[in-house]
Amino acid sequence: MADLPTPHDALFRALLSDPERARDFLRDHLPVSFSSRLADTPPETIEGGFVDEALAGSQSDLLLRVGLAAGGDAFVYVLVEHKSTPDPGLPLQFASYMVRIWKRYAGTSATRLRALPPIVPVVVFHGPADWTVPGSLDEMIAGAAPDLAFLPGSGYILRNLHAMDIDALSTNAALRAGFITLRREALGFLAEIAESLPAGGDLRRQVLEYVLRVYNVDLEELRTRLRDGGHNEMEALVGTIAEALLEQGEARGLRKGLVAGKAEGKAEGKAEALLRLARGRFGNVPESRADQVLSADAETLDRWLDALVTAGTLEEVFEPLGHR
């Protein structure tokens, strides 16, 4: 997990990396005036990004090539805004990104330069704040008049995830689960999300990684809830992801819970070893003593294990140091 992308970028790309999910996204979130023009084929993801390097931590993007029913192609450019408060300069950024897409597409080909494909710009915002960004570039130009409106773009389609009803997020169960996660509401819909994500796929890992990297989550509580719900694969995956994030310095609030879990596991192993050795030397261990061993911390267990080496009776193992 070296060189981790931002959690937002990783999750959004995982959501739309599947062509069928990408097609459902377009059907759910594009105006009928455009979606009705699409051919009945899944979109193709175009590799590479166009976001300015300085904004890479707060924005991510995805370019989809879609076929048109009338023939030819179009692009759908999806820009995801991750700031809790939207950037008022977004229309200007959008215009520059669209120009970059056309330039990359056409290169120096005169034929392509005379037949640039349409680009449908879509903004996905999942912050809690109201959307106060201008709706188009011409709204940002002082004293704009129709005769002066020579602009590279004329607006965008906004999908404000936080302002939408849960049921309107998507008809696709996996997409809906991913969008709920982006809204930071995954813990309130944990059972639904666990049941909606395809087993064994990358999306399940990306959703859990997002929760662990972005949410203020109690690791052991999360694992317990998944385990109690019968989602054992996801519970095990949480531990694997947390370990890897810890190594990368991305664990944030996980370290305390992970270390506590490890300490609990070590203490449990020591307790079982102590009881096994004690029974081997002294026979039966009273239930009250066994309960005492199983509830002891690792430091106390270490002391009792050391005492077991020289103790003549079971009770000597548990005597305070000053009385031996």
Side-chain angles (χ1 to χ4, degrees):
M1 297 178 65
D3 300 322
L4 288 171
T6 70
H8 313 294
D9 185 61
L11 177 55
F12 193 78
R13 288 184 176 276
L15 283 171
L16 297 190
S17 62
D18 177 80
E20 295 301 326
R21 286 199 299 267
R23 179 164 58 181
D24 287 346
F25 171 79
L26 298 182
R27 288 174 174 170
D28 290 339
H29 294 286
L30 291 183
V32 175
S33 59
F34 180 80
S35 61
S36 62
R37 297 174 180 268
L38 298 180
D40 191 26
T41 54
E44 173 194 358
T45 300
I46 305 300
E47 295 299 324
F50 301 88
V51 170
D52 290 332
E53 185 175 346
L55 297 172
S58 60
Q59 293 179 352
S60 56
D61 62 351
L62 194 71
L63 182 63
L64 300 171
R65 189 202 308 272
V66 295
L68 299 176
D73 294 329
F75 289 128
V76 177
Y77 181 60
V78 186
L79 183 68
V80 190
E81 176 69 38
H82 304 307
K83 289 182 178 178
S84 57
T85 302
D87 189 338
L90 186 138
L92 184 59
Q93 298 156 15
F94 229 138
S96 68
Y97 300 158
M98 292 173 70
V99 170
R100 291 176 192 174
I101 293 169
W102 276 318
K103 290 177 71 174
R104 182 184 293 184
Y105 167 82
T108 58
S109 168
T111 301
R112 286 194 167 195
L113 284 167
R114 290 187 176 90
L116 296 173
I119 299 176
V120 180
V122 180
V123 175
V124 175
F125 175 61
H126 57 94
D130 293 335
W131 186 262
T132 56
V133 175
S136 62
L137 192 56
D138 60 352
E139 295 180 25
M140 299 175 67
I141 299 176
D147 293 341
L148 300 177
F150 296 95
L151 302 173
S154 58
Y156 53 87
I157 298 164
L158 172 65
R159 305 306 291 163
N160 187 345
L161 299 184
H162 233 284
M164 297 173 65
D165 291 337
I166 289 287
D167 292 338
L169 288 175
S170 184
T171 56
N172 183 295
L175 273 180
R176 171 185 158 108
F179 289 153
I180 289 173
T181 303
L182 283 170
R183 282 168 46 138
R184 303 197 185 190
E185 297 175 0
L187 299 181
F189 294 85
L190 193 59
E192 177 185 332
I193 288 173
E195 293 164 5
S196 299
L197 297 174
D202 187 59
L203 184 57
R204 179 171 283 193
R205 182 182 64 81
Q206 290 291 1
V207 164
L208 290 174
E209 182 179 313
Y210 188 88
V211 170
L212 294 177
R213 293 179 71 187
V214 175
Y215 288 37
N216 183 17
V217 61
D218 183 315
L219 179 62
E220 289 308 310
E221 180 184 348
L222 176 60
R223 297 183 69 172
T224 299
R225 288 180 60 187
L226 288 170
R227 185 167 56 250
D228 291 347
H231 307 293
N232 296 329
E233 179 192 345
M234 291 187 70
E235 189 269 333
L237 191 54
V238 165
T240 301
I241 294 170
E243 290 275 9
L245 291 176
L246 198 63
E247 292 178 3
Q248 292 290 331
E250 285 281 341
R252 302 196 179 187
L254 297 179
R255 181 176 296 274
K256 181 178 179 181
L258 195 59
V259 170
K262 285 183 175 180
E264 182 179 342
K266 288 181 179 178
E268 183 178 349
K270 289 179 180 180
E272 291 174 354
L274 175 60
L275 289 173
R276 187 170 61 252
L277 292 171
R279 288 173 182 137
R281 285 198 62 191
F282 305 114
N284 183 52
V285 175
E287 185 175 344
S288 59
R289 279 298 188 195
D291 290 341
Q292 184 183 6
V293 169
L294 291 172
S295 62
D297 58 38
E299 183 179 350
T300 301
L301 290 167
D302 283 336
R303 187 173 71 247
W304 288 340
L305 281 166
D306 290 340
L308 182 63
V309 177
T310 58
T313 66
L314 179 63
E315 290 308 309
E316 288 182 15
V317 175
F318 301 100
E319 287 179 358
L321 289 175
H323 293 130
R324 287 204 292 271

